[in-house]
Coordinates of all heavy atoms in Angstrom, one line a residue:
V1473 N 107.9 102.2 93.5 CA 106.9 103.1 92.8 C 107.2 104.5 93.3 O 107.6 104.7 94.5 CB 105.5 102.7 93.1 CG1 105.1 102.8 94.6 CG2 104.5 103.4 92.2
G1474 N 106.8 105.5 92.5 CA 107.0 106.9 92.9 C 106.7 107.8 91.8 O 106.6 107.4 90.6
R1475 N 106.5 109.1 92.1 CA 106.1 110.0 91.0 C 107.4 110.2 90.1 O 108.5 110.0 90.6 CB 105.6 111.3 91.5 CG 106.5 112.1 92.3 CD 106.1 113.5 92.4 NE 107.2 114.2 93.2 CZ 108.3 114.6 92.7 NH1 108.6 114.4 91.4 NH2 109.2 115.2 93.4
S1476 N 107.1 110.6 88.9 CA 108.3 110.8 88.0 C 109.2 111.9 88.6 O 108.8 112.8 89.2 CB 107.8 111.3 86.6 OG 107.0 112.5 86.7
N1477 N 110.5 111.6 88.4 CA 111.5 112.6 88.8 C 111.9 112.5 90.3 O 112.7 113.2 90.8 CB 111.2 114.0 88.5 CG 112.4 114.8 88.0 OD1 113.3 114.2 87.4 ND2 112.5 116.0 88.4
V1478 N 111.3 111.5 91.0 CA 111.5 111.3 92.4 C 112.9 110.7 92.7 O 113.5 110.8 93.8 CB 110.4 110.4 93.1 CG1 110.6 109.0 92.7 CG2 110.4 110.6 94.6
G1479 N 113.5 110.1 91.6 CA 114.8 109.5 91.8 C 114.8 108.0 91.8 O 115.7 107.4 92.3
K1480 N 113.8 107.5 91.2 CA 113.6 106.0 91.2 C 114.6 105.3 90.4 O 115.2 104.3 90.9 CB 112.2 105.7 90.7 CG 111.8 104.2 90.8 CD 110.3 104.0 90.8 CE 109.6 104.6 89.6 NZ 109.9 104.0 88.3
S1481 N 114.9 105.8 89.2 CA 115.9 105.1 88.3 C 117.3 105.2 89.0 O 118.0 104.3 89.0 CB 116.0 105.8 87.0 OG 114.8 105.8 86.4
S1482 N 117.6 106.4 89.6 CA 118.9 106.6 90.2 C 119.0 105.6 91.4 O 120.1 105.1 91.6 CB 119.0 108.0 90.7 OG 118.9 108.9 89.7
L1483 N 117.9 105.4 92.1 CA 118.0 104.5 93.3 C 118.2 103.1 92.9 O 119.0 102.4 93.4 CB 116.7 104.7 94.1 CG 116.6 103.7 95.3 CD1 117.7 104.0 96.3 CD2 115.3 103.8 96.0
I1484 N 117.4 102.7 91.9 CA 117.6 101.3 91.4 C 119.0 101.0 90.9 O 119.6 100.0 91.2 CB 116.5 100.9 90.4 CG1 115.1 100.9 91.0 CG2 116.8 99.6 89.7 CD1 113.9 100.7 90.1
N1485 N 119.5 102.0 90.1 CA 120.9 101.9 89.7 C 121.9 101.8 90.9 O 122.8 101.0 90.9 CB 121.3 103.1 88.8 CG 120.6 103.1 87.4 OD1 120.3 102.0 87.0 ND2 120.5 104.2 86.8
A1486 N 121.6 102.6 91.9 CA 122.5 102.6 93.1 C 122.4 101.3 93.8 O 123.4 100.7 94.3 CB 122.2 103.7 94.0
A1494 N 118.6 101.0 85.2 CA 117.2 101.4 85.1 C 116.9 102.3 83.9 O 115.8 102.7 83.7 CB 116.8 102.1 86.4
S1497 N 114.2 101.2 81.9 CA 112.8 101.6 82.2 C 112.5 103.0 81.7 O 111.3 103.5 81.9 CB 112.6 101.6 83.8 OG 113.3 100.5 84.3
K1498 N 113.5 103.7 81.2 CA 113.3 105.1 80.8 C 113.2 105.2 79.3 O 112.9 106.2 78.7 CB 114.4 106.0 81.3 CG 114.4 106.1 82.8 CD 114.8 107.5 83.2 CE 114.0 107.9 84.4 NZ 114.2 109.3 84.8
T1503 N 108.5 103.7 79.7 CA 108.2 104.4 80.9 C 106.8 104.2 81.5 O 106.5 104.3 82.6 CB 108.3 106.0 80.6 OG1 107.6 106.2 79.5 CG2 109.7 106.4 80.4
D1519 N 110.0 97.6 88.7 CA 110.1 99.1 88.6 C 108.7 99.5 87.9 O 108.5 99.3 86.8 CB 111.3 99.5 87.7 CG 111.4 101.0 87.6 OD1 110.7 101.8 88.2 OD2 112.3 101.4 86.8
L1520 N 107.9 100.1 88.8 CA 106.5 100.5 88.2 C 106.7 101.9 87.5 O 107.5 102.7 87.9 CB 105.6 100.6 89.4 CG 105.1 99.2 89.9 CD1 104.3 99.4 91.3 CD2 104.2 98.5 88.9
G1522 N 106.4 105.7 86.6 CA 106.3 106.9 87.5 C 105.0 107.5 87.3 O 104.5 107.6 86.2
Y1523 N 104.3 107.9 88.4 CA 103.0 108.6 88.2 C 103.2 110.1 88.3 O 104.2 110.6 88.8 CB 102.0 108.0 89.3 CG 102.5 108.1 90.7 CD1 102.5 109.3 91.4 CD2 102.9 107.0 91.4 CE1 102.8 109.4 92.8 CE2 103.3 107.0 92.7 CZ 103.3 108.2 93.4 OH 103.7 108.3 94.7
Y1525 N 103.0 112.6 85.9 CA 103.6 113.5 85.0 C 102.6 114.6 84.7 O 101.4 114.4 84.3 CB 103.8 112.8 83.6 CG 105.0 111.9 83.6 CD1 104.9 110.6 83.9 CD2 106.2 112.4 83.1 CE1 106.0 109.8 83.8 CE2 107.3 111.6 83.1 CZ 107.2 110.3 83.4 OH 108.3 109.5 83.4
L1556 N 108.6 105.7 96.9 CA 109.6 106.8 97.0 C 109.0 108.2 97.1 O 108.0 108.5 96.4 CB 110.5 106.7 95.7 CG 111.6 105.7 95.7 CD1 111.2 104.4 96.1 CD2 112.3 105.8 94.4
D1558 N 110.2 112.4 97.6 CA 111.4 113.3 97.4 C 111.7 113.9 98.8 O 110.9 114.6 99.4 CB 111.0 114.4 96.4 CG 112.2 115.1 96.0 OD1 113.1 115.5 96.9 OD2 112.4 115.4 94.8
E1560 N 113.9 116.1 99.5 CA 114.1 117.5 99.5 C 112.8 118.3 99.6 O 112.7 119.3 100.3 CB 114.8 117.9 98.2 CG 115.3 119.3 98.2 CD 115.8 119.8 96.8 OE1 115.5 119.2 95.8 OE2 116.5 120.8 96.8
A1585 N 112.7 107.9 101.4 CA 112.9 109.4 101.1 C 114.2 109.5 100.3 O 115.3 109.1 100.8 CB 112.9 110.2 102.4
T1586 N 114.1 110.0 99.1 CA 115.3 110.1 98.2 C 116.0 111.5 98.4 O 115.5 112.4 99.0 CB 114.8 109.9 96.8 OG1 113.9 111.0 96.4 CG2 114.2 108.6 96.5
K1587 N 117.1 111.6 97.7 CA 117.9 112.8 97.6 C 118.2 113.4 99.0 O 118.2 114.6 99.2 CB 117.1 113.8 96.8 CG 116.7 113.3 95.4 CD 116.0 114.3 94.5 CE 115.4 113.6 93.3 NZ 114.7 114.5 92.4
A1588 N 118.5 112.6 99.9 CA 118.9 113.0 101.3 C 120.0 114.0 101.3 O 120.0 114.9 102.1 CB 119.3 111.8 102.1
D1589 N 120.9 113.9 100.3 CA 122.0 114.9 100.3 C 121.6 116.3 100.0 O 122.3 117.3 100.2 CB 123.0 114.4 99.2 CG 122.4 114.4 97.8 OD1 121.6 113.5 97.5 OD2 122.6 115.3 97.0
K1590 N 120.4 116.5 99.5 CA 119.9 117.8 99.2 C 119.3 118.5 100.4 O 119.0 119.7 100.3 CB 118.8 117.7 98.1 CG 119.4 117.5 96.7 CD 118.4 117.8 95.7 CE 118.9 117.9 94.3 NZ 117.9 118.3 93.3
V1591 N 119.2 117.8 101.5 CA 118.7 118.5 102.7 C 119.9 118.9 103.6 O 120.7 118.0 103.9 CB 117.8 117.5 103.5 CG1 117.2 118.2 104.8 CG2 116.7 116.9 102.7
V1617 N 117.7 107.9 101.8 CA 118.8 107.4 100.9 C 119.2 108.6 100.1 O 118.5 109.6 99.8 CB 118.3 106.3 100.0 CG1 118.0 105.0 100.8 CG2 117.2 106.7 99.1
S1618 N 120.5 108.4 99.6 CA 121.0 109.3 98.6 C 121.7 108.5 97.5 O 122.6 107.8 97.8 CB 121.9 110.4 99.1 OG 122.6 111.0 98.0
A1619 N 121.2 108.6 96.3 CA 121.8 107.8 95.2 C 123.1 108.5 94.9 O 124.0 107.9 94.3 CB 120.9 107.8 94.0
S1620 N 123.2 109.8 95.2 CA 124.4 110.6 94.8 C 125.6 110.3 95.8 O 126.7 110.1 95.3 CB 124.1 112.1 94.9 OG 123.1 112.4 94.0
T1621 N 125.3 110.2 97.1 CA 126.4 110.0 98.0 C 126.5 108.5 98.4 O 127.5 108.1 99.0 CB 126.3 110.8 99.3 OG1 125.1 110.3 100.0 CG2 126.1 112.3 99.0
G1622 N 125.4 107.8 98.2 CA 125.4 106.4 98.6 C 124.9 106.2 100.0 O 124.7 105.1 100.5
A1623 N 124.5 107.3 100.7 CA 124.0 107.2 102.1 C 122.7 106.4 102.1 O 121.8 106.6 101.3 CB 123.7 108.6 102.6
I1625 N 122.1 103.4 101.2 CA 121.9 102.4 100.2 C 122.2 101.0 100.7 O 121.4 100.1 100.4 CB 122.8 102.7 98.9 CG1 122.4 104.1 98.3 CG2 122.8 101.6 97.9 CD1 121.0 104.1 97.7
Ligands
LIG2285 P1 112.9 109.0 88.1 O1 112.2 109.8 87.1 O2 112.1 108.8 89.4 O3 113.5 107.7 87.6 O4 114.1 110.0 88.6 P2 115.7 110.0 88.2 O5 116.4 108.9 88.8 O6 115.8 110.1 86.7 O7 116.1 111.3 88.9 C1 115.5 112.6 88.7 C2 116.5 113.7 88.9 O8 116.9 113.7 90.3 C3 117.8 113.5 88.1 O9 118.2 114.8 87.7 C4 118.8 112.9 89.1 O10 120.1 113.2 88.8 C5 118.3 113.5 90.4 N1 118.6 112.7 91.6 C6 118.2 111.4 91.7 N2 118.6 110.9 92.9 C7 119.3 111.9 93.5 C8 120.1 112.0 94.7 O11 120.1 111.1 95.6 N3 120.7 113.2 95.0 C9 120.6 114.2 94.2 N4 121.2 115.4 94.5 N5 119.9 114.2 93.0 C10 119.3 113.0 92.6

Side-chain angles (χ1 to χ4, degrees):
V1473 68
R1475 63 161 184 79
S1476 56
N1477 219 36
V1478 73
K1480 185 159 53 70
S1481 307
S1482 304
L1483 176 63
I1484 292 173
N1485 288 337
S1497 320
K1498 293 218 145 187
T1503 49
D1519 180 6
L1520 287 168
Y1523 54 78
Y1525 283 90
L1556 276 52
D1558 191 316
E1560 187 189 19
T1586 61
K1587 309 184 189 178
D1589 60 287
K1590 285 197 167 183
V1591 183
V1617 296
S1618 166
S1620 298
T1621 67
I1625 297 297

